[in-house]
Amino acid sequence: MVVALAAVLVPPAAAATARPWAGTLLDRDAVAVSPAVAAAGGQAYRLTYLSTSSRGAPRVVTGTLVVPPGPPPPGGFPVASWGHGTTGAADACAPSASPALGGYDTLVASLVDAGYAVVATDYEGLGTPGPHAYLVAESAGRGMIDAVRAGRQAQRGLSTTWVALGHSQGSQAVAATAEISGTYGRGLRLAGAVAFAAPINLAGTIAQRLRDVEGDFGAQALYPLILSGLRTEHPQLRYSDYLGPRAAEVLPLVETACLADIYGWFAARDLPASEFQPVTQQAMTRLEDWLAGQGIPRQRTAAPFTILIGDQDEIVGVDEASAVVAGMCHLGSAASLRVYPGLDHNAVVPAATGDAMTWLADRLAGRPVTTDC
């Protein structure tokens, strides 16, 4: 199934209000599934569809649709939109390119087994032309919403009722999804949103994170990805303002390699913290301003929101997650936090999947939600 791209593009100036292209399905191709998804009976398709960048322009995005076996229930299969964690910024890092779906196939299989049709966006620029808008929350949130629209065009029997889940980078995406779904997601009903590990308040923590970056090769690998993502919104960003000459040598790798290779590049060089410091206080202030609001909701969310986090999370601490929930409660959102002892950033996903399923089932059933507000 192919829709001519030229027929749906309109000038970017109209995108802020009309967005007639949002979720338009361009192509659907059957793809192989992993053993875990096969065991759940899911049929998988790679979708190509249109979404909207944070600057209001149309963007071609790819993703995956996995449909449960058998006939849909009355009203259709509820849809679960999945936001993956960081894989990298190169097109080769797109989860839809692999049956393992970026390492999240077991979770996707659990959703399919529970009766959800799953859509899993690759996000803007990951697997498609143009740079990946890494950690640009509104772009990712729009990609998750439009994946639901595209999935419903690709397969009959999918409900307009849906839920959102995400991990790590996907937590930023889910937070934005919950925030904008009442407006950008009109025509669909978001029942609930789950973040495995919390959205990260980079604007409030970037200075300290950069001071502590020496020897932290994970943080070093993420930093140029963050800069490259911000540059999709702020093309005036100069890498030389934020990376020393030795650290800047990684930039070509950011465009061609995935996260593990970037991590290995920094681990082999063991660069000092000075290679990651903005050149002036003005540059730091600009960076903090650009990061403000990326993943931290600034208005009431359209559906209940819960964070599931391990108390050994090495990227986002429990205190930071608690602050996110408190801020959401202040805005009137129905927000909650569950902490898992002894679990780190990645281990929380398999450990908390069952609790996430139960929480989402309650939201679909219309049961009262318990919050921390």
Side-chain angles (χ1 to χ4, degrees):
M1 181 187 301
V2 179
V3 178
L5 179 60
V8 293
L9 294 184
V10 300
T17 53
R19 296 186 179 89
W21 57 75
T24 298
L25 181 68
L26 302 178
D27 204 1
R28 185 196 82 163
D29 295 303
V31 292
V33 296
S34 72
V37 177
Q43 174 63 56
Y45 303 92
R46 189 171 193 261
L47 305 182
T48 305
Y49 64 97
L50 288 178
S51 190
T52 309
S53 76
S54 63
R55 304 183 80 189
R59 289 289 184 266
V60 177
V61 179
T62 51
T64 304
L65 164 67
V66 186
V67 183
F77 291 115
V79 181
S81 188
W82 170 249
H84 66 82
T86 303
T87 58
D91 287 345
C93 312
S96 70
S98 166
L101 301 176
Y104 294 104
D105 56 318
T106 300
L107 180 139
V108 169
S110 297
L111 288 165
V112 172
D113 196 51
Y116 292 94
V118 181
V119 289
T121 182
D122 290 330
Y123 308 133
E124 177 189 349
L126 197 57
T128 51
H132 173 40
Y134 180 67
L135 289 191
V136 177
E138 190 157 346
S139 165
R142 290 173 176 178
M144 290 187 70
I145 294 168
D146 289 331
V148 178
R149 294 185 170 116
R152 297 187 69 247
Q153 294 171 50
Q155 180 73 33
R156 292 181 180 178
L158 271 58
S159 175
T160 56
T161 297
W162 66 292
V163 297
L165 307 89
H167 172 234
S168 193
Q169 179 184 3
S171 293
Q172 307 285 108
V174 166
T177 296
E179 183 178 18
I180 67 175
S181 62
T183 51
Y184 190 87
R186 286 176 181 166
L188 304 169
R189 185 181 77 86
L190 178 65
V194 175
F196 293 97
I200 186 170
N201 180 13
L202 279 171
T205 63
I206 189 66
Q208 185 60 51
R209 290 175 188 273
L210 292 178
R211 283 194 293 270
D212 296 339
V213 76
E214 189 164 338
D216 186 344
F217 307 122
Q220 292 178 19
L222 292 175
Y223 185 47
L225 292 174
I226 291 167
L227 295 175
S228 69
L230 286 173
R231 210 162 183 242
T232 67
E233 280 198 310
H234 307 283
Q236 70 272 33
L237 184 152
R238 296 182 301 183
Y239 289 123
S240 58
D241 284 346
Y242 301 100
L243 293 170
R246 294 173 64 195
E249 293 174 3
V250 79
L251 292 172
L253 194 66
V254 169
E255 298 177 358
T256 59
C258 297
L259 182 62
D261 290 329
I262 300 171
Y263 178 100
W265 189 94
F266 280 111
R269 285 156 180 81
D270 197 12
L271 301 178
S274 59
E275 284 289 311
F276 304 92
Q277 306 306 308
V279 293
T280 63
Q281 182 55 49
Q282 289 79 5
M284 174 62 82
T285 300
R286 285 196 301 272
L287 182 60
E288 291 169 341
D289 289 345
W290 289 336
L291 290 168
Q294 298 291 5
I296 307 301
R298 292 160 291 180
Q299 59 187 22
R300 181 178 179 176
T301 58
F305 186 94
T306 191
I307 295 172
L308 310 177
I309 189 170
D311 67 357
Q312 300 302 307
D313 194 308
E314 66 278 19
I315 295 177
V316 187
V318 171
D319 288 348
E320 189 172 343
S322 297
V324 171
V325 169
M328 295 177 70
C329 288
H330 179 74
L331 294 168
S333 302
S336 61
L337 172 68
R338 181 163 182 172
V339 180
Y340 293 80
L343 298 182
D344 64 15
H345 190 72
N346 291 324
V348 73
V349 177
T353 294
D355 290 335
M357 297 292 188
T358 300
W359 189 87
L360 289 172
D362 287 345
R363 304 291 75 74
L364 290 174
R367 299 185 182 100
V369 61
T370 300
T371 76
D372 291 325
C373 300

